[in-house]
Amino acid sequence: MQLTVLGCSGSAPGPDLPTSGYLVEAGGVRIVMELGSGVFAPLTRLCDPFDLDAVLLSHLHLDHCADFGSLTVYRRDHPAPPYDVRERRLPVFAPSHAPSRLANAHAADRAALATTDLTDTFDFVPLAPGRYAVGPVEVEVAAMRHICEAYGFRISYGGVSLVFSGDTVPCPELVRLATGADLLLADSAWREQAGRANYLHMSGQEAGEVAKAAGVGRLVLTHVLPWSDRDGVLDDAADAFPGPVSLATPGATYTL
């Protein structure tokens, strides 16, 4: 299994730093996990978007799904697609309101929204806690704790697994999902601050504590806000987690 970071900035992009997006390759399938702002361009350097086997969207904040619009235009408007995209719709595993939410970007006005339908090109699969299959790859889904419907993913193949937290505060559901995983890709938006009323994201310290509790093999910190102290977030996580820990960077690859 190989994980490639397409983008990793939290909430908004930074200079040469797209928001969330990751390509997972295993068992002959390609899964893009999140399609945040600026992610589609680096994706096209790595694979033909028509060769994707599935899209996973943990939740529908724009820093995680804005470039789904680019993928839609590419699949619907390409003059010479390698196959009929209406006969071979791309599976999109996403929160239940994804079809209407994502259609908003493609309706010219409010009246057109009533007839804008992306299901001609995409096969939307509403997420719920449980297990799903993408070819020989298993995707386990757990509900996370964010300010909207949000999920974490455990992707397993050939005896190895990686876990993506999506956006969440620390919670038992994430520890259970990540237990024994080879790699945890964890939301780490900022440094711990006394008195912070936090209901959005984990700090680096909290991500490290979750990784330690779950006994993961490696911790990769992602979704650091562009105005946060990246090195400080890394130091805090390393103090809490005794294993290998690093900051996600665009283009980084991890082979499991």
Side-chain angles (χ1 to χ4, degrees):
M1 182 186 299
Q2 181 169 285
L3 167 69
T4 302
V5 178
L6 306 172
C8 55
S9 185
S11 297
D16 301 315
L17 196 64
T19 59
S20 294
Y22 315 91
L23 179 65
V24 180
E25 299 171 275
V29 303
R30 294 183 177 94
I31 301 170
V32 66
M33 188 166 60
E34 317 287 71
L35 277 164
S37 307
V39 162
F40 187 73
L43 174 66
T44 61
R45 287 198 294 267
L46 296 173
C47 74
D48 185 335
F50 286 109
D51 289 340
L52 291 173
D53 295 284
V55 176
L56 301 180
L57 299 177
S58 68
H59 66 294
L60 298 179
H61 284 157
L62 287 178
D63 57 322
H64 293 258
C65 70
D67 266 18
F68 189 87
S70 299
L71 177 64
T72 301
V73 169
Y74 197 92
R75 287 181 62 86
R76 292 179 125 197
D77 296 344
H78 196 290
Y83 51 80
D84 186 338
V85 296
R86 287 165 174 75
E87 291 293 325
R88 186 173 153 187
R89 296 182 300 156
L90 180 63
V92 179
F93 298 84
S96 56
H97 56 295
S100 57
R101 165 79 163 156
L102 297 172
N104 276 286
H106 300 277
D109 52 36
R110 186 178 296 274
L113 183 59
T115 57
T116 300
D117 184 3
L118 304 187
T119 62
D120 60 348
T121 311
F122 299 104
D123 179 15
F124 288 99
V125 180
L127 286 173
R131 288 178 168 83
Y132 302 79
V134 181
V137 176
E138 180 183 270
V139 180
E140 183 179 355
V141 176
M144 295 291 104
R145 300 189 187 183
H146 196 40
I147 58 171
C148 61
E149 183 184 357
Y151 299 93
F153 305 123
R154 183 179 183 124
I155 302 176
S156 303
Y157 174 77
V160 299
S161 59
L162 71 88
V163 170
F164 174 54
S165 69
D167 286 6
T168 186
V169 295
C171 59
E173 295 89 343
L174 177 56
V175 174
R176 285 195 293 269
L177 186 69
T179 295
D182 296 277
L183 185 151
L184 171 60
L185 183 62
D187 174 17
S188 312
W190 43 49
R191 300 197 75 176
E192 192 70 18
Q193 294 183 20
R196 180 194 295 275
N198 180 22
Y199 52 88
L200 286 169
H201 305 288
M202 291 188 288
S203 66
Q205 176 184 321
E206 289 170 327
E209 291 168 350
V210 166
K212 182 178 180 180
V216 305
R218 181 184 185 110
L219 172 61
V220 178
L221 307 172
T222 193
H223 204 277
V224 180
L225 305 184
W227 50 83
S228 290
D229 175 1
R230 287 174 59 83
D231 291 336
V233 169
L234 176 61
D235 290 343
D236 292 346
D239 287 343
F241 176 61
V245 56
S246 59
L247 288 165
T249 56
T253 61
Y254 303 88
T255 301
L256 309 178

